[in-house]
Structure formats: C-alpha cells, structure tokens
Amino acid sequence: AAGVIQSPRHLIKEKRETATLKCYPIPRHDTVYWYQQGPGQDPQFLISFYEKMQSDKGSIPDRFSAQQFSDYHSELNMSSLELGDSALYFCASSLMAALAGVVGRANEQFFGPGTRLTVL
Amino acid sequence: GIQVEQSPPDLILQEGANSTLRCNFSDSVNNLQWFHQNPWGQLINLFYIPSGTKQNGRLSATTVATERYSLLYISSSQTTDSGVYFCAVEFSANTGNQFYFGTGTSLTVIP
C-alpha cells in the first residue's frame, strides 16, 4: 500500500539559511500534519491542514510557514535556520472524520519516514 | 494543555518475556494511537484505539477512556520489538484540535 512520502530524507543547512521540506500524503487522504522531533524527544505537533486550509496550529515558530496545495501535497518552509532547528521532521496524513467515521478510523494518522535536518 | 505520561520510561526484557506499557492522559481525548519508533526513526502504527480492546498478533491494547489511560501489551517479545513506544492523543482545546505524544517507553529486548 502507498505510504506518506517525504523529501528530502536528509538535509544539511547553515545557520540563517532557508529550507523547504515536502510531504506527499497517502492517496485520498485530505489532512496533513507536521511534527518536529528533537534528539531524544517525543514528536511535537507543529501545524495541520485540511482541504488546503490551515486546520490546527501547534508550537510552530514564526520563522516557519506551511501550506497545502491543490494536489494535497504540503510544504514546510523554514527560514533563518538556527542550530536548535536540527531535528527529525515528520509529516503525517489522515482521512478527515466526516469521511472516515463510517469505518471508525477518523483521523488515524500515518507517518512518513521523516526528513532529518541538520543545521551547522 | 494536556499531559501525556508513559511508564516505565525504560524497559529491558529477555527475549520471550511479556510486558505492559502504560499511557496516562490528564484530560478527555478524541483519539489515541500507539506507535513503535524503530531504531531507524520510523514511526509505525500499532493501534488506533480511542476506547476498548484490540489485538494484533503478539500485541494487544486496551484504552479505558473514562479513567484516562491506555495499556499496550507485548507478549513473547523479540529483539525486533526494541525501540521506543509512544502513545499519541488528539485533544480538543479552545483553540482547536491539538496532538500530543507521550513521553515514550524505550524498550530493549536482549537475546
């Protein structure tokens, strides 16, 4: 079965540079989530999108922005990178409750392999 | 926000042993999932279990939503079970839905 695709898998940037991470959800999934996992930490929710509109917002820094496009893929844009931004960035996708509720799997999230960002 | 705490934080098992991992949450949640993060960092879905009991092979899970906890049972553990186990919840806050991972249980299964 098709899974969530993230690119690139690894990224190395210098301080103050910008980075763009991409996420391609599972086909027919309409909701995308972004998470940040620092070394030895649990994943932290950043932001989510449903049907191309921002749905919920977590602890996303102001230097970061994200959007979901007409084909449902999403991009996380990160500017003025700091050393502390070095982390594993996960994208997840799900089928919104209204469509998935009938099979009792509303908002079950499936995660991509992650992008490992290193800021030097 | 909501607190999601897991216990034990670390667990070392002999291959073939059984174990129970616990996830406590401080408020009512809409959804709860269990994940296994393998040594390569992948987050693998184990259970989608906002309530009730489910079983999948050597793994089973129970969520008692009214008492705000969930349990993950691992039987006949194997070395490939090593990794970090997370529970994750969806919580309805005043500002919208929020998603929280627990603190994790790091499991090491030794041959």
Side-chain angles (χ1 to χ4, degrees):
Chain A
V4 177
I5 297 171
Q6 291 188 246
S7 68
R9 295 292 308 278
H10 300 274
L11 190 59
I12 299 174
K13 291 286 185 178
E14 300 274 344
K15 277 195 319 185
R16 292 181 287 279
E17 285 190 323
T18 61
T20 298
L21 309 186
K22 296 185 178 183
C23 169
Y24 298 85
I26 291 171
R28 297 196 305 127
H29 279 194
D30 50 21
T31 306
V32 169
Y33 313 79
W34 286 97
Y35 291 83
Q36 176 193 59
Q37 185 178 26
Q41 307 290 315
D42 53 281
Q44 298 290 312
F45 169 64
L46 296 178
I47 196 167
S48 64
F49 291 86
Y50 165 64
E51 284 290 345
K52 293 149 280 183
M53 299 286 290
Q54 182 182 309
S55 176
D56 297 296
K57 195 170 182 180
S59 53
I60 186 168
D62 292 340
R63 297 178 291 107
F64 295 5
S65 65
Q67 56 183 324
Q68 187 179 30
F69 294 86
S70 57
D71 63 352
Y72 293 99
H73 95 272
S74 179
E75 295 184 2
L76 178 66
N77 299 292
M78 310 160 70
S79 62
S80 302
L81 287 169
E82 301 173 356
L83 296 178
D85 296 330
S86 295
L88 191 53
Y89 289 83
F90 286 106
C91 169
S93 73
S94 73
L95 199 54
M96 192 59 176
L99 298 176
V102 64
V103 293
R105 308 290 276 194
N107 289 346
E108 180 180 11
Q109 296 186 32
F110 295 85
F111 281 73
T115 293
R116 189 169 296 279
L117 172 66
T118 302
V119 182
L120 302 176
Chain B
I2 188 174
Q3 306 300 315
V4 185
E5 295 184 354
Q6 293 183 238
S7 60
D10 300 282
L11 187 59
I12 300 175
L13 293 177
Q14 199 78 42
E15 199 169 26
N18 304 328
S19 63
T20 300
L21 282 55
R22 188 177 181 103
C23 171
N24 290 332
F25 40 97
S26 60
D27 208 331
S28 300
V29 299
N30 301 329
N31 292 312
L32 187 144
Q33 291 184 245
W34 281 97
F35 296 92
H36 174 214
Q37 187 165 38
N38 64 23
W40 296 270
Q42 285 184 291
L43 280 166
I44 299 164
N45 287 43
L46 297 178
F47 292 101
Y48 171 87
I49 187 164
S51 63
T53 297
K54 292 186 178 179
Q55 180 156 7
N56 184 4
R58 296 181 297 103
L59 303 182
S60 63
T62 295
T63 296
V64 184
T66 53
E67 297 187 21
R68 301 179 185 169
Y69 73 88
S70 183
L71 302 173
L72 177 69
Y73 306 95
I74 305 174
S75 64
S76 304
S77 58
Q78 302 175 356
T79 55
T80 50
D81 294 334
S82 296
V84 182
Y85 289 79
F86 288 107
C87 63
V89 302
E90 177 185 335
F91 167 66
S92 289
N94 292 335
T95 52
N97 290 335
Q98 295 291 315
F99 305 92
Y100 293 91
F101 274 71
T103 48
T105 291
S106 179
L107 173 65
T108 303
V109 181
I110 55 178

